[in-house]
Amino acid sequence: MSEKFLVKFWGVRGSYPAPGKNTVRFGGNTSCVEVRAGRHILILDAGTGIIPLGQELARTNQLNATILLSHLHHDHTQGFPFFVPAYIPSTKLHIFGPTTAAETLDINQSPRTFPIGLNDMNATKEIHSLRETDVLTLDATGVKVNASSSDTSTALSTGPEAVTVKTHRSHAHPGGVYVYRIEYRGRSLVYATDIEGYVGGDRKLAAFARGADLLIHDAQYSEEHYRGQIAGLPSTQGYGHSTPQMACELAKAADARELALFHHDPNYADQTVAGLEVRARSVFPNVCAAYEGLVIHIGQSMNAFSSFTVESGVKYVQNG
């Protein structure tokens, strides 16, 4: 049995897709991250990045997957109607998310908004609502939901090949958002997008992410943008998104091994994102700005810094 535990980024932008010559390096697709843990495929969010991922899964005939939705805003669900495996009858998808996940996905593909309904997609789709206390276990027998995160009996009985997914609900984004912790063979990944840093740090999130080998954390805005110090742009305090500095502080508080900055603002050109990466490295050395195609093997050094030569400081370069 394979012991691989890796992530591949297929979409790293927030808010809306941002194609064009100014986003070639980091990519313009919205949130989607593929996780391979042994024989299991997990997909974090279904932004437009899930479209090329689905094409690749169909091409290689790897059709069954577990999809974990952090929340149901458009940039995290808009790619699902174009996810090729969902149209193949032999596919089986387990989809987990907030309590309204099934309803929202159905509305997204209602006749007024899309020509093909959710129920017309030929794959077998099981859509489940999650609570914060729920723990998922993926093993050779399938996907199971434990009623409580304190109940470890199932995880212990499934052996070393089991994948465990724990959930943490954050209210640091309008409507709330789920943070996921994926554990496999003693290694761990935490996916924390669409959250905003607290004054003094988010202690509950830091505890949830404690000791993670890789923390993927929202870092949409520069400090200047967040504070409203860039001409023509409003302050984004209260929007539910972090700065790279907030992400670095959380990584330090959680004693995470590596940090990937995620959910880049669609208005930021590649040069701006690269500059934010450089600045972040002075706060937390083991950090990179995630880009489409980046593969990180969990537990190994990611060596994934951008190849740009960037002057000291961050120069705001607008996309488009």
Side-chain angles (χ1 to χ4, degrees), residues 8 10 52-63 84-85 88:
K8 182 173 182 178
W10 291 87
L53 169 56
Q55 294 166 347
E56 176 66 14
L57 294 177
R59 185 187 68 80
T60 57
N61 198 34
Q62 300 177 85
L63 300 174
V84 173
I88 299 174

Side-chain angles (χ1 to χ4, degrees), residues 186-223:
R187 292 165 288 170
S188 57
L189 154 72
V190 173
Y191 178 73
T193 190
D194 291 66
I195 54 176
E196 185 170 348
Y198 295 139
V199 174
D202 187 334
R203 296 184 181 182
K204 288 185 178 180
L205 179 57
F208 183 76
R210 179 73 56 198
D213 290 283
L214 174 65
L215 171 63
I216 302 171
H217 195 289
D218 186 294
Q220 179 155 343
Y221 302 118
S222 70
E223 286 288 323

Side-chain angles (χ1 to χ4, degrees), residues 12-13 22-23 25-27 219-222 244 261-281 288-291 306 308 310 313-319:
V12 299
R13 293 282 170 175
N22 292 323
T23 59
R25 173 68 176 90
F26 290 95
Q220 179 155 343
Y221 302 118
S222 70
L261 306 177
F262 189 70
H263 208 270
H264 310 311
D265 192 277
N267 288 304
Y268 290 2
D270 288 329
Q271 193 76 7
T272 298
V273 177
L276 293 172
E277 178 188 67
V278 170
R279 178 186 288 180
R281 209 174 301 157
C288 78
Y291 56 86
S306 76
F308 283 112
V310 181
V314 177
K315 180 180 180 181
Y316 180 81
V317 182
Q318 188 167 5
N319 178 33

Side-chain angles (χ1 to χ4, degrees), residues 63-65 85-95 121-127:
L63 300 174
N64 299 332
Y87 292 89
I88 299 174
S90 58
T91 300
K92 184 168 185 178
L93 300 174
H94 290 276
I95 304 171
M121 302 170 93
N122 294 325
T124 298
K125 303 175 294 299
E126 295 184 7
I127 305 177

